[in-house]
Amino acid sequence: MVSSLILKIKGGNSLWIPIGLLLCELLHPRPESDVEYLHGILESIARIEAKGYKLLKDLGATPVEEVITSGGGSKNQKWIKIRERVLGLPVCKADQTEAAYGAALLAMKGACENATSD
């Protein structure tokens, strides 16, 4: 489990934030409705994701045109719709929805690139 967040800032500096402190501040006041509470959390996660894509674009990365999702969240249509609305992008379910599948593909690609460069 992640216990802290380290943000890299321009100029090589880092900002360390304890997750517990961050979550306590962000998750209060808690609405009485569990549905509203979960919806608020999912909206916030989607906004953070959107900021991440914007930052990558600002740093020179190719703009995101489509998000392909995997893992448990790919099974939740409401979560996919929230992400589509907040991101302003299509969000599609991956053919292979196991979260580790993408990591395995990246590892395989890296291994193949290393083998050909040796």
Side-chain angles (χ1 to χ4, degrees):
M1 181 166 184
V2 177
S3 60
S4 64
L5 177 66
I6 299 173
L7 302 174
K8 297 288 184 184
I9 303 170
K10 281 186 178 178
N13 296 324
S14 298
L15 177 63
W16 176 80
I17 303 170
I19 292 294
L21 177 64
L22 182 65
L23 291 178
C24 286
E25 292 298 318
L26 295 178
L27 299 178
H28 286 86
R30 187 188 193 290
E32 288 186 31
S33 165
D34 290 343
V35 172
E36 285 181 34
Y37 186 59
L38 177 59
H39 185 82
I41 291 170
L42 294 177
E43 288 272 342
S44 297
I45 292 169
R47 284 195 300 271
I48 292 167
E49 182 179 10
K51 286 180 181 180
Y53 294 142
K54 182 184 181 314
L55 179 60
L56 287 170
K57 180 182 168 196
D58 292 348
L59 292 171
T62 303
V64 176
E65 296 177 357
E66 174 185 38
V67 175
I68 300 173
T69 189
S70 64
S74 68
K75 299 173 188 164
N76 186 324
Q77 280 302 312
K78 292 199 185 291
W79 170 227
I80 288 173
K81 292 298 179 196
I82 288 170
R83 291 173 73 198
E84 285 181 327
R85 183 175 43 75
V86 172
L87 298 174
L89 297 167
V91 178
C92 305
K93 190 174 177 180
D95 291 335
Q96 293 288 333
T97 58
E98 286 297 320
Y101 184 78
L105 288 177
L106 290 172
M108 183 176 68
K109 181 176 180 176
C112 291
E113 286 175 5
N114 284 340
T116 58
S117 66
D118 290 338

